[in-house]
Amino acid sequence: MAEFSSVGKNVPRVDVFEKVTGSAIYADDRQFGAGLYYGRLVRSPYAHALIKKIDVSKALEVPGVKAVVTGKDFPGRIGLYLVDRPIFAADRVRYVGDPVAGVVAVSEEIAEEAARLVEVEYEELPAVFDPLEAIKPDAPLLHPDLGSYKVAPFIHPVPGTNISEHFKLRRGDVESAWSQCAAIVEEEFRLPQIQHVPIETHVAVAIWEPSGEVTLWTSSQSPFAQRDLIAQSLGIPHGNLRVISPYVGGGFGGKAGVSIEVYAVAMARAVMGHPVKLRMTREEEFVGTTVRQSLVAHVKVGCDADGNLLAMEVSYYFGGGAYNDYGVNIARAAGYSCTGPYYIPNVKGDSYCVYTNQPIGSAMRGFGMPEIHWGLEQAMDQLAEKIGMDPVEFRRRNCVKTGQIIATGMTMPNVDLVACIDKVAKAVNWGKKEPPSAPHKKRGKGLAIMWKAPAMPPNPGSSAIVRFNEDATVNVEIGAQELGQGAFTVAAQIAAEALGVPYDWVRVSAPIDTKYSPYEWQTVASRITWSMGNAVKAAAEDAKRQILELVAEHWDEDPEDLDIKDGKVISYKSERELSLKGLVVYGLPNEDFEGWKGGPIVGRGKFMPTYVTSLDPETGQGTRAVVHYTVGAQAVDLEVDTETGQVEIIKIASAYDVGKAINPDLVLTQIEGGAVHGMSSTFEALKFDEKGRPLNPSFVDYRIATAADIPKEIHGDIVETPLEDGPWGARGIGEHVMVQTAPAIANAIYNAIGVRFNELPLSAEKIFMAMREKEE
């Protein structure tokens, strides 16, 4: 077994060395000088309407107002996978909150006052809020020009409808398989839109210099993607647009892609030479940025008398909101992963992203997987019950295993989901009926499993640079973002391990700055430990190679006989050693100091998967649909108060196959945080009235889990089945930890009170009324 000095160890987190933190951009305006202006957005009060006229004259008369911009000033569109979103709505608005204008003023208060004076004449149109209603032939058409939008080659919109993406998966003969099934479950499941609710709301500052140079400061998961998309949409040369992104105060997918940042840049163009700050209020954050999409799922699944899964037919209808530039890839990811973590020989899957007149659906932790697992994992429990099989044994029998050909035709990479199932079952004493804490409470246990692949284009790249200071301390430069998940710590550990230097010699440069930081596609998809990690490892190995070649020449030895340990070059042959200090910058002298050799050591590394193939648009079949899957299991032990319907989570046990835990403590903290996040999402919902107006855009009415709600015990286990191309076998774990929490809770509630719930959220009132109804 390999010996590690940094990787696989619990080490102190890397300090973030930066002059400007996320909180500083949020709160301290002094860094931008006395010329800082402030922006506010004018938003639509209608869910769907034509814009007949915009009059900004009264707003411009307000003292302190410097500019007002509208869609006429910026006729382009923006989007990641589907370019469907106008900078500012120009001809029509598509949700309550759709920006139609931006006001720039010397203070936020003046900008707010002026924004109220912008007069917009609307012609209200019929709106549609449910994806099943939106796909009907007579539904209001939200994007009549869908057929003309620029779109990624693997996304398949249906022009003339509200369907922005339709992913098809076909395997085997589903219709013939139903007759062979001893048991069949067929259900409809629903989830509402929910919010990311980062504690730090979205904020951006932009300056457009008269020279054409543009700088954007923003709390972002995607500085390079933002540079690319904003440059394309506003006609800025990429080299002229610089994005600086400090430490992020909460992301969860909500700060991926482009949200409000393009508005800040657009408003800055109107007041060249002055930075413009745009900050979302908490109310705006709820509905004016992005949200997790809603979903209606039709699930039909069957097995034989022995519990072997034979057939599945699923249809997923994602309510993508007004613009689906990111949401289309969520529907695609749900499509190619539609079976969940199960081997099923006959599958028919259809996954749709559908335009609705609601806030913009986009990436959120789990990227479509929490949504589809909500129904899948309850259906599997029901199927096991129908044939009289224990839910744990049912999953052990049917879960995906290494080497199987899964639904897309891809060979399943190395995983051990059975080990994850066994660990969580043991952790909650599965099979043992335990007493509730009071006579009016009922206790139950539930289990659910999951899989998730990094959902991304086939060629997302990572790069890294490793350079030394004179004392041999190391600077690692990356473009991946620190969200609190420990990306910088992992980068430092990987660099230290690959170089052979102590961990505390390594620093990670920040903030991320597209002008100086090496390229990173985005900090999304739980891909950073794997993708960035490979780039950092390659950069460190490149630096190490240079050092060993230099010293080998100096000692007249073979580089193969040399190594670096604890910051010293050592020779296994001659047993000599030499400190890295000095030589990594100044090089080494020739004999009698007749010249020098070497010089500053700079290691460069990159990584990009090259093996992901296209999938047939009619069948979803292909050689390699994704780079890999991470799998895991969760078990929940809870109590239901029969007098109130209140649920108390006693214990959540989780286990995930992470390939190799670069930092076990960070993995376990992800498991803990994800369990609470997943638990919270079970009880959350954005609510709207019949006109599409938000009813709960505040923490008063939209309640998230707090410290008071945390389960009495959160148990975490790590399984390590090395990934073929991960750094030391590592794969990502950040999102997976909340994917199956909601169905595990629902299965436990059923175990406690005998009632199934097909629609989220699981409010105490809903549970109480269901118990009452069951008794009647």
Side-chain angles (χ1 to χ4, degrees):
M1 182 177 292
E3 291 291 329
F4 295 104
S5 59
S6 295
V7 164
K9 304 293 179 67
N10 297 319
V11 299
R13 290 178 67 106
V14 163
D15 291 329
V16 181
F17 290 90
E18 55 181 75
K19 295 179 181 178
V20 183
T21 66
S23 59
I25 277 190
Y26 187 86
D28 188 356
D29 296 340
R30 291 171 296 178
Q31 62 185 296
F32 300 107
L36 176 66
Y37 293 158
Y38 298 82
R40 294 298 296 156
L41 298 175
V42 180
R43 298 182 179 274
S44 166
Y46 296 104
H48 195 200
L50 296 177
I51 299 174
K52 309 300 289 184
K53 180 183 177 183
I54 300 178
D55 185 350
V56 303
S57 58
K58 292 181 180 178
L60 287 170
E61 292 173 358
V62 176
V65 170
K66 299 299 181 180
V68 181
V69 297
T70 68
K72 290 183 178 180
D73 303 303
F74 299 96
R77 295 190 185 94
I78 195 167
L80 184 60
Y81 297 104
L82 176 64
V83 186
D84 67 348
R85 183 152 52 106
I87 310 302
F88 291 97
D91 59 344
R92 72 171 67 201
V93 292
R94 296 177 173 91
Y95 72 102
V96 174
D98 208 350
V100 298
V103 177
V104 182
V106 297
S107 74
E108 204 167 32
E109 293 76 17
I110 292 174
E112 181 75 34
E113 176 189 351
R116 289 194 289 267
L117 297 177
V118 174
E119 297 178 350
V120 185
E121 181 182 337
Y122 296 98
E123 179 184 323
E124 190 172 5
L125 298 173
V128 60
F129 306 110
D130 186 287
L132 294 186
E133 294 298 317
I135 63 172
K136 292 180 178 178
D138 59 348
L141 195 60
L142 273 62
H143 288 262
D145 299 327
L146 175 59
S148 67
Y149 294 166
K150 182 180 177 181
V151 61
F154 48 82
I155 299 299
H156 306 290
V158 184
T161 75
N162 286 319
I163 299 171
S164 58
E165 160 67 349
H166 179 193
F167 185 92
K168 303 174 186 177
L169 185 64
R170 306 289 186 265
R171 181 190 188 184
D173 187 347
V174 174
E175 291 305 317
S176 297
W178 295 126
S179 62
Q180 303 170 36
C181 294
I184 295 173
V185 169
E186 187 169 7
E187 297 282 350
E188 179 181 285
F189 299 90
R190 285 179 173 263
L191 298 90
Q193 286 189 335
I194 63 174
Q195 234 291 328
H196 308 81
V197 288
I199 298 304
E200 174 200 48
T201 63
H202 279 68
V203 59
V205 179
I207 185 169
W208 194 308
E209 301 286 3
S211 65
E213 298 285 327
V214 181
T215 303
L216 170 66
W217 294 264
T218 182
S219 175
S220 172
Q221 297 176 233
S222 311
F224 288 92
Q226 287 180 349
R227 180 186 65 177
D228 181 34
L229 298 177
I230 294 173
Q232 289 188 54
S233 65
L234 297 183
I236 305 169
H238 284 67
N240 283 11
L241 177 55
R242 177 185 182 189
V243 180
I244 302 172
S245 186
Y247 198 88
V248 175
F252 315 110
K255 292 175 182 172
V258 173
S259 179
I260 69 158
E261 300 81 16
V262 69
Y263 304 126
V265 176
M267 288 189 279
R269 194 180 77 173
V271 289
M272 286 189 179
H274 287 268
V276 176
K277 180 175 182 177
L278 180 62
R279 177 184 62 87
M280 295 297 96
T281 65
R282 179 56 61 185
E283 290 74 16
E284 286 180 299
E285 186 73 23
F286 270 100
V287 293
T289 54
T290 60
V291 300
R292 191 175 83 178
Q293 300 180 118
S294 64
L295 176 67
V296 180
H298 295 156
V299 178
K300 182 179 181 182
V301 60
C303 68
D304 64 20
D306 294 324
N308 299 301
L309 288 169
L310 298 181
M312 174 180 281
E313 183 172 349
V314 292
S315 297
Y316 299 136
Y317 301 92
F318 285 90
Y323 305 105
N324 295 175
D325 70 298
Y326 217 138
V328 289
N329 199 38
I330 298 172
R332 181 176 187 269
Y336 59 65
S337 297
C338 67
T339 60
Y342 296 95
Y343 175 77
I344 306 175
N346 303 286
V347 180
K348 180 183 179 184
D350 290 278
S351 186
Y352 303 88
C353 191
V354 184
Y355 287 119
T356 59
N357 292 116
Q358 288 186 310
I360 302 169
S362 189
M364 185 174 178
R365 193 177 191 180
F367 206 79
M369 296 303 101
E371 295 94 297
I372 69 171
H373 283 72
W374 164 244
L376 290 175
E377 283 304 285
Q378 290 197 77
M380 294 303 173
D381 252 34
Q382 293 176 63
L383 201 55
E385 184 180 27
K386 278 195 171 188
I387 62 166
M389 182 176 285
D390 181 84
V392 167
E393 179 54 36
F394 185 84
R395 288 174 171 83
R396 293 180 87 260
R397 175 183 291 261
N398 290 290
C399 70
V400 289
K401 299 173 179 69
T402 301
Q404 288 180 331
I405 305 300
I406 58 176
T408 58
M410 169 180 161
T411 301
M412 188 67 188
N414 294 340
V415 294
D416 193 347
L417 183 48
V418 171
C420 298
I421 295 170
D422 290 346
K423 284 181 179 294
V424 300
K426 180 180 178 181
V428 298
N429 296 317
W430 187 267
K432 179 182 179 183
K433 190 69 176 176
E434 296 177 272
S437 61
H440 63 284
K441 294 184 177 183
K442 293 188 176 182
R443 189 165 177 176
K445 297 175 183 178
L447 182 138
I449 62 177
M450 61 75 61
W451 71 349
K452 183 190 181 298
M456 55 193 186
N459 60 336
S462 298
S463 57
I465 295 172
V466 168
R467 58 183 179 84
F468 288 88
N469 302 309
E470 292 85 347
D471 63 354
T473 55
V474 181
N475 289 100
V476 176
E477 298 173 7
I478 56 175
Q481 183 59 281
E482 177 59 67
L483 312 174
Q485 84 282 39
F488 288 2
T489 302
V490 165
Q493 286 183 265
I494 289 174
E497 186 68 45
L499 278 170
V501 302
Y503 167 76
D504 58 9
W505 285 18
V506 182
R507 301 291 184 270
V508 178
S509 298
I512 306 304
D513 185 335
T514 59
K515 188 173 182 178
Y516 300 109
S517 302
Y519 178 82
E520 183 67 61
W521 177 62
Q522 295 189 82
T523 302
V524 297
S526 301
R527 59 182 287 278
I528 293 304
T529 295
W530 164 73
S531 185
M532 174 212 72
N534 275 324
V536 170
K537 186 171 182 283
E541 290 171 343
D542 181 43
K544 182 177 181 178
R545 175 191 57 79
Q546 296 175 51
I547 294 168
L548 295 182
E549 288 177 354
L550 171 64
V551 176
E553 180 186 352
H554 188 65
W555 285 347
D556 193 24
E557 295 194 31
D558 190 330
E560 294 297 319
D561 293 328
L562 307 184
D563 202 353
I564 301 176
K565 296 288 186 182
D566 200 29
K568 297 175 182 177
V569 180
I570 61 171
S571 171
Y572 294 114
K573 183 177 181 181
S574 65
E575 298 187 358
R576 285 186 284 188
E577 66 177 41
L578 182 63
S579 172
L580 295 182
K581 295 180 179 180
L583 79 85
V584 289
V585 171
Y586 301 126
L588 292 169
N590 294 327
E591 189 174 353
D592 296 327
F593 290 89
E594 292 292 327
W596 289 72
K597 51 183 169 288
I601 300 294
V602 179
R604 297 173 178 84
K606 65 178 181 178
F607 176 77
M608 185 183 79
T610 58
Y611 44 76
V612 175
T613 61
S614 60
L615 301 178
D616 186 284
E618 294 302 317
T619 65
Q621 296 300 300
T623 305
R624 186 77 177 251
V626 297
V627 291
H628 59 257
Y629 279 94
T630 297
V631 298
Q634 269 185 344
V636 173
D637 185 1
L638 55 73
E639 286 185 334
V640 180
D641 189 321
T642 59
E643 295 178 350
T644 65
Q646 191 70 35
V647 174
E648 181 182 3
I649 311 292
I650 298 170
K651 184 175 186 176
I652 297 181
S654 309
Y656 295 90
D657 190 338
V658 303
K660 172 65 180 178
I662 301 296
N663 186 309
D665 270 358
L666 288 181
V667 173
L668 291 173
T669 55
Q670 284 295 310
I671 286 174
E672 291 170 1
V676 175
H677 194 178
M679 180 190 75
S680 185
S681 71
T682 308
F683 306 100
E684 296 177 29
L686 280 168
K687 298 179 181 179
F688 303 88
D689 68 12
E690 70 282 356
K691 290 287 190 177
R693 294 172 294 215
L695 296 174
N696 59 336
S698 74
F699 284 137
V700 173
D701 300 307
Y702 186 102
R703 190 174 179 276
I704 62 173
T706 68
D709 305 298
I710 292 175
K712 292 179 179 178
E713 183 180 355
I714 302 176
H715 175 87
D717 273 309
I718 296 171
V719 174
E720 295 182 306
T721 308
L723 179 66
E724 58 187 9
D725 67 344
W728 295 284
R731 57 168 69 88
I733 187 59
E735 298 171 90
H736 312 81
V737 289
M738 69 166 286
V739 166
Q740 76 277 45
T741 314
I745 290 172
N747 287 339
I749 291 174
Y750 176 77
N751 182 246
I753 64 173
V755 179
R756 283 278 172 202
F757 296 91
N758 287 16
E759 184 171 355
L760 289 175
L762 296 182
S763 66
E765 179 185 12
K766 180 185 291 186
I767 294 170
F768 177 76
M769 296 305 294
M771 288 188 292
R772 288 277 300 272
E773 185 176 331
K774 183 188 176 189
E775 292 171 357
E776 292 175 355

